[in-house]
Amino acid sequence: MAAEYRFSFGPWNIHEGADPFGPSVRSPVAFAKKVRMYKKLGFDAVQFHDDDAVPDMEQLAPAQIVRKAAAVKRLLDGEGLVAEFVAPRLWEHPKGVDGAFTSNDPKSRKWALARSERAIDIANALGTKMLVLWLAREGTYIRESKNAIDAHRHLLDAFNDILEYDPEITIAIEPKPNEPMDHAFLPTIGHALAIGTQTVDPNRMGGLIETAHALLAGLDPSDEMAFALSMGKLWSVHLNDQNGLKFDQDKTFGAANLRAAYNQVRVLELGGYPATGRFVGLDVKAMRSQKADVATRHLSNSRAVFLHLLEKVRTFPKDVEQQCIANRDYEALELAVLEHLLGKS
Ligand code: GLO
Ligand code: MG
């Protein structure tokens, strides 16, 4: 019944459990081994950072990078998987210490663009036309450290350069309001889509909405998704969950707020998301306490929760909904939703 939704995750979602207060607690899993796990877990597509595909890319010439990425493509083909997107990892290199596209140092800004171009080369070799930009360090720790007006102009220049580098590449901005920065530039999908309209090719600018990031911005993830869907700009999602306003938790989808998760699935249904051919991405982390042999359950569980909620969305009595709306009896509608989620209807 739900076969038309297809799912993706990134290799970073199978991880060793290190956090800012303690080291790894599980051994690393080799990339090739992770790739073999996808289908078994119910997933059809791989999300990439550029250096997930080509780990030593900073030491390689462009042609060597493309050759290595082509080998990864063969690995994917062998497993019947596709690449959903590539995201340049601009937040770990020393040159990106104070931001990449919005660094005060022009040499860093130049590096960020060159690195993004290599990420596009990798995307082409992997067979995807989507670049995701999570603008991790584009922001400030203190407001006085940057001219924020210039910073937004630098972002626009960078998007234009990327669009011009490859006439077919599309950019999905993944907004996040904070962490690692005190405040990030382009903190919501509204900001992301607005700047897209100012670029040389607004048709190639869209967004990826992550549940936790919307919650950290104090917004409702399903309404954020609705905003993008209303403009045909929801190009991917990172479903997960978040228990209040704290660090980005990336909990299993639905784990903190089942009803909010239900509404995210509902809005994807209302927006005809599966017919767009785009993937449902899950950006979830295993708990640090999880033992290695079950440290992929957060992924299969998140997918399972999505599919259960999809069934709930599809079986919600439409006549009751219509009647409640006609009567403006939202107390009745609320109870109907709660009872449906509780398995009482
Ligand atoms: C972190 C982000 C991160 C991105 C990934 C792809 O908060 O959610 O996981 O989704 O780097 O851009
Ligand atoms: Mg994410």
Side-chain angles (χ1 to χ4, degrees):
M1 165 175 152
E4 76 266 37
Y5 279 92
R6 294 182 305 158
F7 299 86
S8 63
F9 70 87
W12 64 88
N13 293 118
I14 301 174
H15 69 114
E16 295 90 59
D19 68 17
F21 306 99
S24 296
V25 289
R26 294 180 288 265
S27 308
V29 178
F31 175 73
K33 191 169 174 200
K34 289 182 184 178
V35 167
R36 287 197 295 276
M37 294 174 170
Y38 271 73
K39 285 278 177 182
K40 283 187 208 118
L41 291 167
F43 289 77
D44 291 316
V46 183
Q47 307 182 339
F48 283 92
H49 294 125
D50 49 5
D51 57 3
D52 292 324
V54 187
D56 47 354
M57 62 181 290
E58 286 284 344
Q59 277 76 54
L60 301 176
Q64 293 171 302
I65 293 175
V66 169
R67 265 201 303 281
K68 291 214 170 184
V72 175
K73 170 80 164 71
R74 288 193 289 277
L75 196 67
L76 297 184
D77 289 347
E79 292 295 321
L81 295 167
V82 296
E84 184 192 4
F85 66 68
V86 175
R89 202 197 298 263
L90 298 169
W91 52 91
E92 286 186 0
H93 195 278
K95 287 205 177 96
V97 69
D98 192 23
F101 302 128
T102 65
S103 172
N104 286 325
D105 181 351
K107 286 200 287 295
S108 290
R109 299 203 296 273
K110 213 169 146 209
W111 162 80
L113 193 60
R115 170 91 182 220
S116 302
E117 289 176 357
R118 297 295 76 74
I120 294 168
D121 296 346
I122 292 172
N124 280 316
L126 293 177
T128 171
K129 283 291 170 196
M130 187 153 77
L131 199 71
V132 164
L133 296 178
W134 170 46
L135 302 166
R137 293 194 195 279
E138 315 298 355
T140 53
Y141 297 113
I142 63 163
R143 300 290 87 67
E144 298 84 356
S145 64
K146 285 183 184 173
N147 176 334
I149 301 171
D150 285 348
H152 287 92
R153 289 183 180 144
H154 288 321
L155 283 173
L156 183 59
D157 288 345
F159 301 154
N160 283 336
D161 287 339
I162 289 171
L163 293 170
E164 276 163 0
Y165 175 73
D166 179 340
E168 286 179 22
I169 204 74
T170 60
I171 298 177
I173 297 174
E174 180 182 346
K176 181 177 181 182
N178 62 280
E179 199 203 31
M181 306 312 291
D182 178 43
H183 280 286
F185 301 131
L186 310 187
T188 70
I189 194 66
H191 294 82
L193 297 186
I195 200 167
T197 67
Q198 303 301 298
T199 63
V200 290
D201 195 353
N203 288 333
R204 288 192 282 140
M205 298 294 297
L208 178 159
I209 295 177
E210 173 162 325
T211 313
H213 298 180
L215 290 170
L216 288 170
L219 297 168
D220 181 274
S222 71
D223 282 349
E224 291 290 274
M225 289 172 194
F227 176 72
L229 283 165
S230 75
M231 301 175 195
K233 292 292 191 186
L234 189 64
W235 292 354
S236 190
V237 289
H238 270 173
L239 300 184
N240 56 25
D241 214 345
Q242 176 72 23
N243 201 5
L245 297 180
K246 46 182 89 169
F247 64 95
D248 183 13
Q249 294 185 296
D250 296 340
K251 289 167 86 72
T252 290
F253 183 53
N257 189 336
L258 207 48
R259 182 156 173 204
Y262 168 80
N263 276 302
Q264 289 165 70
V265 179
R266 179 173 175 269
V267 85
L268 293 175
E269 274 286 275
L270 290 173
Y273 188 78
T276 65
R278 298 192 180 271
F279 288 94
V280 171
L282 294 160
D283 197 1
V284 286
K285 274 200 192 77
M287 291 176 227
R288 191 165 186 266
S289 47
Q290 196 73 348
K291 290 180 186 163
D293 58 337
V294 284
T296 52
R297 292 282 165 83
H298 57 304
L299 290 157
S300 46
N301 291 352
S302 291
R303 179 180 174 277
V305 169
F306 182 97
L307 293 174
H308 289 316
L309 289 172
L310 182 60
E311 201 186 322
K312 287 289 174 190
V313 170
R314 289 182 174 173
T315 56
F316 186 78
K318 294 286 169 316
D319 51 336
V320 172
E321 183 178 289
Q322 276 160 16
Q323 215 177 358
C324 292
I325 291 172
N327 295 339
R328 214 191 334 114
D329 189 350
Y330 300 151
E331 292 290 354
L333 181 56
E334 179 142 89
L335 186 64
V337 170
L338 293 176
E339 287 189 337
H340 189 62
L341 287 175
L342 288 165
K344 302 276 181 204
S345 71

